[in-house]
Amino acid sequence: AFKLLVHAALELDDADAQFELAQCYRQGDVPRGEKDLEVALMLYERAARQGLLPARKVLEELTRPDNAEENATGEGQEREKKHGKVHP
């Protein structure tokens, strides 16, 4: 099932699949079981660019400077240093 989700998200450029796959990476519900916020953000951004409102909402939440999830890992701060703030 995970491979089909990856195929739909990346090969077919399906916004709903991108959102679901982003959720998997954000929560660590992937084959290796490791969270990857960088990959999740990339997928949320792709879905948001296609107009998927839930993806835009999650991006707004994750890119807030006071976001506890990002700041706890330091990944959000590091991403902003490398890429600048994400804008849907």
Side-chain angles (χ1 to χ4, degrees):
F2 186 78
K3 288 182 182 182
L4 290 175
L5 187 58
V6 170
H7 175 73
L10 303 179
E11 302 294 325
L12 302 178
D13 207 29
D14 181 277
D16 290 316
Q18 291 163 350
F19 180 79
E20 291 302 320
L21 188 58
Q23 294 286 79
C24 291
Y25 276 101
R26 181 178 178 194
Q27 298 166 3
D29 190 17
V30 294
R32 287 186 170 186
E34 297 175 7
K35 293 180 182 182
D36 191 330
L37 290 177
E38 289 289 325
V39 173
L41 283 168
M42 181 269 302
L43 290 162
Y44 287 131
E45 288 170 350
R46 286 179 70 169
R49 280 194 303 267
Q50 294 184 61
L52 192 69
L53 187 58
R56 289 182 181 188
K57 289 183 178 185
V58 171
L59 276 174
E60 288 173 8
E61 173 189 321
L62 291 177
T63 57
R64 278 196 331 258
D66 62 340
N67 183 281
E69 181 176 359
E70 280 191 338
N71 293 335
T73 63
E75 291 181 31
Q77 295 165 351
E78 188 62 31
R79 178 185 43 75
E80 286 189 15
K81 286 179 193 173
K82 287 194 282 187
H83 306 292
K85 188 171 180 175
V86 178
H87 297 283

